[in-house]
Amino acid sequence: MNPISAKVVDVADIPCGGDHPFMLITGPCQLESLDHARMMAERIAAACAPTNTRFVFKASYDKANRSSLGTERGLGMEEGLRILDTIRTEFGCPVLTDVHEPGHCAPAGDVCDILQIPAFLSRQTDLLLAAGQTGRVVNIKKGQFLAPWDMANVAAKVASTGNENILLCERGTSFGYNTLVSDFRGLPVMEATGYPVVFDATHSVQQPGGQGGRSGGQREFAPVLARAACAVGISALFIETHQDPDNAPSDGPNMIPIDRMADLIAELRAFDDLRKGR
């Protein structure tokens, strides 16, 4: 198998797939404020500039799949979409957010270039159909409970709406309690669907519920897995980042400090260039 997708999906003006350089999906896990989003977008743009890496700014207005009731969920849809629209306009970059209910898809699709289906919801037919009906790019995270070949059926639900702007995202598979593993055989298996494949390096090192009321993680292994994914061949990388991960409102243990991103991106581009013959 040749894990470089035949299909190219255009995300705004960024081609994702084929032998194009990987598209980077990056940003904080959760939207915190407009000022914070602006600061992060500015620093991400600076980290990507030396390698001319094209990026999608991602952040969630609602983290509905939190470990416990007491953890922060975010700013809500109205405020969150206003911030994402501002970032998209000011920085000229595509934006992505999660959607959790069918009714959220149309409003989010009015603003966002990519609607993301969370892994826990990857088999929710009504949500997938509503996301597809927006015409936006749909990034579907593979459920931790699914085999990679199951994603063909998941993608078919979105494609049934006439929308084939689909990305399939690997983010690890449940392995016992509070642990995920990444099976890199799954990347070419999902690529065989014809859709571009995304590798989520930071959620792949998550330890779901590993801190009792919160998820843990091992961010030191995220670059290791990202390098391996680039060597296998992927169309996009998903890497969450924050200026102070240890004090971030969600998924801090997984996120890469923003001051390390420029060096990491340069290293990953070298792997990507080698794999794609540049």
Side-chain angles (χ1 to χ4, degrees):
M1 292 184 181
N2 177 25
I4 297 176
S5 74
K7 183 177 178 62
V8 175
V9 171
D10 290 322
V11 180
D13 64 342
I14 304 176
C16 179
D19 61 357
H20 293 283
F22 68 73
M23 179 181 73
L24 180 63
I25 301 172
T26 187
C29 180
Q30 187 179 130
L31 282 167
E32 299 176 33
S33 69
L34 177 55
D35 286 345
H36 183 260
R38 277 181 172 136
M39 180 273 292
M40 289 300 303
E42 183 175 355
R43 296 187 67 175
I44 288 166
C48 290
T51 53
N52 195 30
T53 297
R54 307 296 301 279
F55 74 93
V56 176
F57 182 85
K58 67 80 47 191
S60 298
Y61 58 76
D62 182 17
K63 301 299 294 183
N65 297 325
R66 300 307 305 274
S67 297
S68 68
L69 185 61
T71 47
E72 298 179 55
R73 286 184 54 167
L75 300 177
M77 184 167 63
E78 183 176 352
E79 176 67 6
L81 291 178
R82 185 184 70 81
I83 291 172
L84 288 169
D85 192 36
T86 301
I87 296 301
R88 188 179 191 272
T89 300
E90 291 185 359
F91 289 87
C93 62
V95 295
L96 172 154
T97 196
D98 295 292
V99 289
H100 296 89
E101 301 176 17
H104 290 184
C105 292
D110 286 341
V111 171
C112 297
D113 302 273
I114 303 179
L115 302 185
Q116 182 164 277
I117 308 298
F120 285 125
L121 303 179
S122 58
R123 289 184 60 173
Q124 297 299 306
T125 300
D126 289 344
L127 179 61
L128 291 163
L129 295 178
Q133 288 162 0
T134 67
R136 292 297 197 177
V137 177
V138 182
N139 183 36
I140 312 168
K141 290 201 170 185
K142 180 178 74 63
Q144 302 92 326
F145 46 86
L146 292 180
W149 45 87
D150 293 333
M151 292 299 285
N153 291 328
V154 174
K157 294 180 181 182
V158 176
S160 74
T161 68
N163 181 359
E164 294 194 349
N165 296 314
I166 298 167
L167 309 178
L168 301 180
C169 183
E170 172 60 62
R171 54 94 72 224
T173 301
S174 294
F175 185 76
Y177 298 119
N178 305 126
T179 303
L180 299 171
V181 296
S182 293
D183 180 358
F184 288 97
R185 296 174 298 179
L187 301 180
V189 170
M190 289 198 295
E191 182 273 337
T193 64
Y195 297 112
V197 172
V198 184
F199 182 73
D200 181 346
T202 42
H203 285 97
S204 291
V205 299
Q206 186 185 59
Q207 296 170 318
Q211 295 182 359
R214 305 175 69 92
S215 290
Q218 295 175 299
R219 74 170 68 98
E220 66 272 22
F221 293 120
V224 178
L225 298 186
R227 290 195 297 267
C230 287
V232 173
I234 40 80
S235 298
L237 276 174
F238 182 110
I239 301 176
E240 288 187 335
T241 184
H242 196 274
Q243 87 284 359
D244 184 13
D246 291 335
N247 291 296
S250 61
D251 275 344
N254 316 318
M255 288 195 282
I256 302 297
I258 186 62
D259 60 7
R260 300 181 189 172
M261 283 291 286
D263 288 344
L264 177 59
I265 292 166
E267 180 181 34
L268 295 174
R269 279 295 301 271
F271 277 84
D272 187 63
D273 289 345
L274 179 64
R275 173 64 183 87
K276 294 173 181 173
R278 286 189 296 276

